[in-house]
Amino acid sequence: MLPWSGLGRRLWWLALAAPLLAGLDRPPITPLGQGPRLLDDQLLQAFFLLRGPRPAPADPVILAIDADSLELGELLAPGEREASPLWRQMGPWPWPRALQARLAAHVLERGATRVLFNIEYSQPSRYGPADDRAFSATLAPWRQRVHLAVHYDVRQEGGLEQSRLRLPIHPLGAPGLTTLLQSPRGVVEAVPGQDWIRSRLGTFPPPLPRPMAFLVRPAPPPVAPMGLDYPGPAGSMARVPAWRLLEVPASTWRGRTV
C-alpha cells in the first residue's frame, strides 16, 4: 500500500500519462468540480495498466467461497459429495456458520497466523441459535486470532442521512472495518485513514474499529487514506477455493494471514 500525497500525486500521474489524454474519446459529463477528480481517476487506472502486474505478496492467502464452491452439487456426483462431510454442506449461499467456522479452524490448526472474515455477522444465523453456538465454540481456541467484519453504511430515509455501524455478534478478536474508499467512477482505491474514521465514525461508542488491513500491522492507520497498490488484475493474489481445502498441503497456511 502506498500513502497518497495530494497535489504531488496528481502532478506525478499527469506527468506520466499526459500523452494518453489525446486518446480519450471525450471528457466525461460530470457535475462542476468533479472533472479534475475523474481525470485523476483515469490517470491512476492508466498507470496500473502501463506498469503491468507485480509479484503478489505472500499475505494474505484468500480462502475463496467461489462460484464452484457454491455450485458443488452440479460439479460432483451425489456419491462423491456425500462421501465428504465438508462437501456435503456446501451449496448455494448462505452456508451454515458452523461450516464457515470449520474452514477457519482447519487453516488455524495448520499454522495460520490469523483469519479475517470478510463476511458480516451482525445478525443471528438463519440456521438458528445452535448454528451460532457452534460457530463460537469451534473458533474459541483461537479467539484472539479470528477477526470478523464491521460494516458501515449510510442510508437516506425521510430526507435524513442515517449512518449505521453493524458490529459482529460473536465476541472474538478485534473486528475490522471493511469499508474501502472509492473514486467517483466507483473504483476501489484506498483504505480509510484516521481523519475519515473520526469524521464518519466519531459519534459511535468507542472503541472505533480499525480498517481490516490494519489488524495485521503493528502501526495504527495513517491520518490520510492509504492508496491501494494493486499487484495486478483479479486472481493475482494467492487463493484456494473452499471446496478444495482438504487437497492443499498444511504448509500452504503456516505463518500466513487467511
Side-chain angles (χ1 to χ4, degrees):
M1 295 182 179
L2 301 175
W4 289 13
S5 56
L7 179 61
R9 184 177 74 87
R10 285 196 171 89
L11 294 176
W12 169 252
W13 297 134
L14 186 59
L16 180 70
L20 300 176
L21 298 183
L24 296 178
D25 292 335
R26 58 186 181 277
I29 301 174
T30 64
L32 186 64
Q34 286 292 304
R37 181 65 185 85
L38 284 167
L39 176 60
D40 185 59
D41 179 27
Q42 291 176 328
L43 295 177
L44 182 60
Q45 292 183 64
F47 166 76
F48 280 116
L49 291 174
L50 288 172
R51 186 202 67 177
R54 290 292 185 269
D59 273 347
V61 55
I62 300 170
L63 180 54
I65 301 174
D66 62 346
D68 286 347
S69 299
L70 297 173
E71 299 170 1
L72 209 56
E74 300 176 17
L75 298 177
L76 301 176
E80 288 181 291
R81 194 175 174 199
E82 285 300 315
S84 167
L86 195 66
W87 290 349
R88 201 179 303 149
Q89 295 190 61
M90 290 184 180
W93 190 258
W95 291 352
R97 291 182 183 177
L99 170 60
Q100 298 173 48
R102 283 203 297 276
L103 300 179
H106 180 90
V107 303
L108 288 162
E109 287 169 345
R110 285 152 184 79
T113 303
R114 63 184 64 82
V115 173
L116 312 178
F117 278 85
N118 193 19
I119 300 173
E120 187 182 328
Y121 298 103
S122 63
Q123 299 294 326
S125 170
R126 67 174 60 188
Y127 290 93
D131 191 38
D132 277 319
R133 289 194 296 270
F135 180 88
S136 295
T138 299
L139 296 176
W142 306 278
R143 181 181 304 277
Q144 297 305 317
R145 293 160 54 194
V146 177
H147 306 275
L148 306 183
V150 176
H151 181 75
Y152 169 80
D153 64 14
V154 178
R155 295 192 304 175
Q156 298 289 338
E157 196 170 292
L160 298 175
E161 188 175 88
Q162 181 183 25
S163 299
R164 298 188 302 170
L165 194 63
R166 300 205 288 264
L167 299 168
I169 63 173
H170 300 283
L172 297 171
L177 183 68
T178 59
T179 301
L180 294 172
L181 306 185
Q182 298 184 1
S183 72
R185 298 174 62 193
V187 177
V188 174
E189 60 180 8
V191 177
Q194 291 188 37
D195 279 350
W196 185 96
I197 294 171
R198 282 192 291 263
S199 65
R200 299 299 181 94
L201 308 183
T203 58
F204 293 98
L208 298 180
R210 298 172 71 174
M212 190 163 273
F214 285 92
L215 294 178
V216 300
R217 292 170 56 121
V223 173
M226 289 284 284
L228 296 176
D229 185 13
Y230 289 100
S236 297
M237 304 293 290
R239 59 193 291 126
V240 175
W243 78 280
R244 303 192 67 175
L245 178 69
L246 301 181
E247 302 174 14
V248 177
S251 58
T252 302
W253 313 109
R254 196 169 300 125
R256 300 178 79 179
T257 296
V258 180

